[in-house]
Amino acid sequence: RAVKDAVPEVLIVAGGPHVQRAEDFLGSEPIDVVVLGEGEVTFTELLDCESPAEWTDVKGLAWIEGVDGTSRVVRTPERPRTTDLDRFPSALDVIELRDAAGKPRFRSVAYETNRGCPYRCAFCEWGTGLIGSKIYKYDHERVRRDAEKLAAGGVETYFICDANYGLFPEDESLAAHLADLKRRYGAPRTI
């Protein structure tokens, strides 16, 4: 809200499992557009738009159109879920985790090892099925490599963003790997 008040022309974009009911956020919050479902492709295409007139060509968006009493939420067609998450490169392949002096640049990271949830809990946006009930996973070795890079980079806190971390046998293996990284690098300190 403070950013929008200071710079009214800035575009505020929201995404993630907690804003999938766009009507709850558009109009009452300083959000201009909501990315529905998975955001990697949708957000990239949104950034390529020259103006809001082109948003209609981007699958998986919602925004308010109209002014004064005639406004309505516009939704573009749903974007199909990505079944192969490994098609998206790891940000850790391009982000420097330490500065020129060797100090860690980041204290914490939000990290996802899988996406989706088989349950439909009423209190959870994942469970509503808005993101998807089928779970797709990143390759386990990629997750282990990323965890090693984060530990070597001095990142102290990992927020694992899975809807149900611990659901798969690989999660126990990852937990053991994280404990080993803590012994070897002193990080992560908190998971």
Side-chain angles (χ1 to χ4, degrees), residues 20-84:
Q20 297 305 299
R21 289 188 175 91
E23 297 79 7
D24 294 346
F25 297 90
L26 294 168
S28 62
E29 297 291 331
I31 296 170
D32 297 303
V33 61
V34 172
V35 173
L36 302 168
E38 297 173 320
E40 289 88 351
V41 176
T42 301
F43 187 62
T44 301
E45 290 180 6
L46 175 65
L47 292 176
D48 288 338
C49 291
E50 296 283 329
S51 74
E54 295 179 20
W55 293 356
T56 56
D57 298 329
V58 179
K59 290 181 180 176
L61 290 180
W63 67 93
I64 289 184
E65 194 169 81
V67 291
D68 301 327
T70 62
S71 63
R72 67 183 179 93
V73 174
V74 176
R75 289 175 175 263
T76 60
E78 184 177 317
R79 181 174 300 280
R81 286 189 64 203
T82 302
T83 58
D84 177 18

Side-chain angles (χ1 to χ4, degrees), residues 5-16:
D5 289 343
V7 188
E9 66 274 13
V10 73
L11 182 68
I12 306 284
V13 181

